[in-house]
Amino acid sequence: MKCRHCGSDLNLELINLGFAPPSNSYLKPEDLRQPEKHYPLRVLVCEECWLTQTEDFVGHEQLFSSEYAYFSSCSSGWVEHARRYVDEVVEKLDLNRESLVIEVAANDGYLLQHVVAKKIPCYGIEPTTSTANAARERGITIVEEFFNRATAKRLLRERGPANLMIANNVLAHVPDINNFVAGFVILLKQTGVATFEFPHLLNLVQGMQFDTIYHEHFSYPSLDSIINVFTTNGLNVFDVEEIPTHGGSIRIYAQRADRRPYPTQQRVQDLLDKEIAIGMRTKEFYKTFQQTADRITCDLISFLVDCRKEGKSVIAYGAAAKGNTILNYAGIRPNLLPCVYDASPAKGGKFLPASHIPIYPSSEFPNHYSDYVLILPWNLTSEIMTLYPQVLERGSKWVTAIPSLKIHSRVDPTSPGHSFTTQA
Ligand SMILES: [Zn+2]
């Protein structure tokens, strides 16, 4: 395979997770009588531009079907993160009723609702019908399409250029990353700004977040590799912030490279220097990832097998895509993990792909006693533990598997996300 950005041959492997169905292809009861398609899931690193990427991709149509089940608003922490961002950026860029804000991958309107509340003109671009409809119910205009050069040209003619374009957690989901990034240059005003948030490859590798690898994620960018992609396509990165979401993300600020109204902040060079100093432009950085992921997987299997032998019950919370990666790689089935609870109405009553573990609505979770509850979306550990204080009160324990198996006996309020004081 050739690099999806620069076209070089890809020979350096980060990890091979075997075969798996698309992580978001939740199954209805009747689907359990059908064969299920599995695709290879292998991640390679380009030694020319250092873009880390999945080897092959399934056609978009199947990955982002109209029943795509991820609704951003299901995480209250994520909605709050979006509200704070909107407050900050509106002030920073002095946006007002004359401005235009466009969000690419607007999902269910979790972010644009805060822009609408400020009476700033905006619309979202979202190819998935189910989430687009949820956004419309919040009073947000949605263009139901994939974003690329052609879409950008048409929207520029029909609706004019944007002061601000937002793209959160979508860069990774785009197979043709050049065509996607080039669209921003077309649709931005000469003085416009585009911000992008994405999980940082540095944290993925150092935090052993191999469960965030799935077919729907085509690329796993570092600042270094994304600057290469942006520069080639006419965008200039002028600022960067490290943020705690999704296990450690970065937010970058970009402008049209032909205009550059904003001076480049020192933080860009500083983070780039940090990535290079850690070795992200060397093979060694990527070499031990598979081995460590295998150890983590074995630890989870051993824990579940030991519980089973000792007659202790384990259930799961959060039917997240990342859960599917680890459950399928580990070969875990309902005999070891009988069910998972989830807050998304779109997932309740369905089954996880491949493992066929049934998903129950989170409203019933407080009534289900078990000795342990495995949190699959470990990035929301604090939020989930706080939401259900009764779990610890009745003597059950929370468990997370990434970056290593941990049993949590209390919430650490100073530490949102996955670093906790624990007790084995
Ligand atoms: Zn490349």
Side-chain angles (χ1 to χ4, degrees):
M1 150 151 185
K2 307 275 189 201
C3 170
R4 61 181 82 251
H5 167 56
C6 76
S8 303
D9 285 319
L10 299 177
N11 300 309
L12 176 59
E13 185 178 272
L14 177 70
I15 194 166
N16 184 345
L17 291 165
F19 280 70
S23 264
N24 274 308
S25 51
Y26 296 90
L27 303 168
K28 293 180 204 140
E30 59 269 29
D31 297 329
L32 299 181
R33 299 203 306 270
Q34 302 280 342
E36 202 178 354
K37 274 191 187 165
H38 286 54
Y39 301 87
L41 184 51
R42 185 167 163 245
V43 176
L44 299 163
V45 184
C46 176
E47 291 166 84
E48 279 301 316
C49 72
W50 297 103
L51 185 66
T52 300
Q53 49 204 289
T54 44
E55 182 184 35
D56 277 308
F57 60 88
V58 189
H60 315 161
E61 303 77 18
Q62 185 169 356
L63 295 180
F64 300 102
S65 73
S66 59
E67 297 188 53
Y68 181 58
Y70 183 76
F71 287 78
S72 298
S73 294
C74 285
S75 163
S76 59
W78 183 241
V79 173
E80 175 58 17
H81 169 76
R83 189 192 62 74
R84 280 199 306 269
Y85 161 81
V86 170
D87 282 351
E88 278 170 37
V89 79
V90 164
E91 200 186 318
K92 211 168 179 172
L93 302 180
D94 201 17
L95 301 176
N96 55 48
R97 293 178 191 207
E98 309 293 312
S99 310
L100 176 64
V101 175
I102 303 173
E103 187 186 16
V104 178
N107 198 274
D108 59 7
Y110 74 100
L111 186 145
L112 285 181
Q113 63 184 345
H114 304 300
V115 179
V116 168
K118 291 181 188 292
K119 304 205 164 30
I120 298 168
C122 65
Y123 68 91
I125 301 169
E126 173 53 59
T128 305
T129 309
S130 52
T131 49
N133 285 339
R136 290 184 183 113
E137 280 169 25
R138 291 191 163 92
I140 296 158
T141 305
I142 296 287
V143 174
E144 205 173 309
E145 271 179 72
F146 283 102
F147 185 72
N148 52 36
R149 280 190 195 93
T151 314
K153 281 181 186 160
R154 208 197 69 238
L155 291 172
L156 179 68
R157 279 198 310 275
E158 291 174 359
R159 294 165 181 263
N163 297 70
L164 171 65
M165 292 184 72
I166 304 160
N168 288 344
N169 296 309
V170 60
L171 266 177
H173 290 80
V174 181
D176 186 350
I177 196 165
N178 292 324
N179 194 4
F180 179 81
V181 169
F184 287 81
V185 185
I186 293 166
L187 204 43
L188 275 182
K189 271 187 185 169
Q190 296 192 359
T191 55
V193 170
T195 73
F196 300 79
E197 287 180 23
F198 51 87
H200 191 188
L201 178 66
L202 177 63
N203 297 313
L204 188 158
V205 174
Q206 291 194 327
M208 285 314 304
Q209 300 163 1
F210 69 96
D211 59 340
T212 64
I213 292 166
Y214 38 91
H215 297 104
E216 292 89 331
H217 285 170
F218 300 97
S219 309
Y220 304 86
S222 60
L223 179 62
D224 187 24
S225 62
I226 215 65
I227 285 177
N228 288 331
V229 174
F230 277 34
T231 305
T232 309
N233 290 292
L235 276 183
N236 165 258
V237 176
F238 68 91
D239 200 3
V240 62
E241 292 166 46
E242 291 182 85
I243 52 176
T245 47
H246 293 281
S249 297
I250 54 180
R251 177 189 291 152
I252 56 177
Y253 293 77
Q255 59 189 339
R256 285 172 49 169
D258 58 343
R259 298 292 162 185
R260 302 192 187 220
Y262 296 93
T264 304
Q265 301 298 311
Q266 182 59 34
R267 295 194 282 193
V268 177
Q269 192 58 48
D270 290 348
L271 185 55
L272 206 50
D273 289 345
K274 179 176 160 188
E275 289 186 352
I276 294 166
I278 287 168
M280 294 183 79
R281 284 188 191 167
T282 65
K283 281 186 182 182
E284 284 62 38
F285 180 77
Y286 306 91
K287 268 181 155 169
T288 54
F289 192 71
Q290 175 98 48
Q291 212 182 339
T292 315
D294 288 350
R295 185 182 48 70
I296 293 167
T297 306
C298 283
D299 288 347
L300 176 62
I301 298 168
S302 303
F303 170 76
L304 293 173
V305 169
D306 288 348
C307 285
R308 168 103 199 193
K309 282 184 190 160
E310 292 162 18
K312 299 229 167 92
S313 52
V314 189
I315 59 174
Y317 191 92
K322 54 168 72 73
N324 292 325
T325 297
I326 189 165
L327 295 178
N328 287 331
Y329 187 49
I332 292 164
R333 297 290 179 266
N335 56 346
L336 289 179
L337 197 62
C339 66
V340 55
Y341 285 88
D342 194 275
S344 168
K347 291 180 189 171
K350 293 188 177 171
F351 295 79
L352 299 184
S355 68
H356 297 182
I357 293 169
I359 308 168
Y360 299 148
S362 58
S363 54
E364 292 168 21
F365 173 68
N367 304 324
H368 190 155
Y369 178 85
S370 67
D371 295 298
Y372 296 99
V373 185
L374 174 66
I375 298 177
L376 294 171
W378 45 259
N379 54 308
L380 304 177
T381 299
S382 179
E383 182 178 329
I384 292 166
M385 287 177 70
T386 307
L387 199 59
Y388 300 105
Q390 60 270 52
V391 170
L392 292 178
E393 283 161 17
R394 70 192 178 200
S396 304
K397 296 270 187 342
W398 296 97
V399 183
T400 48
I402 305 275
S404 57
L405 195 87
K406 282 183 180 173
I407 295 169
H408 306 260
S409 50
R410 69 179 180 87
V411 185
D412 182 350
T414 61
S415 177
H418 64 293
S419 40
F420 283 88
T421 308
T422 59
Q423 176 190 302

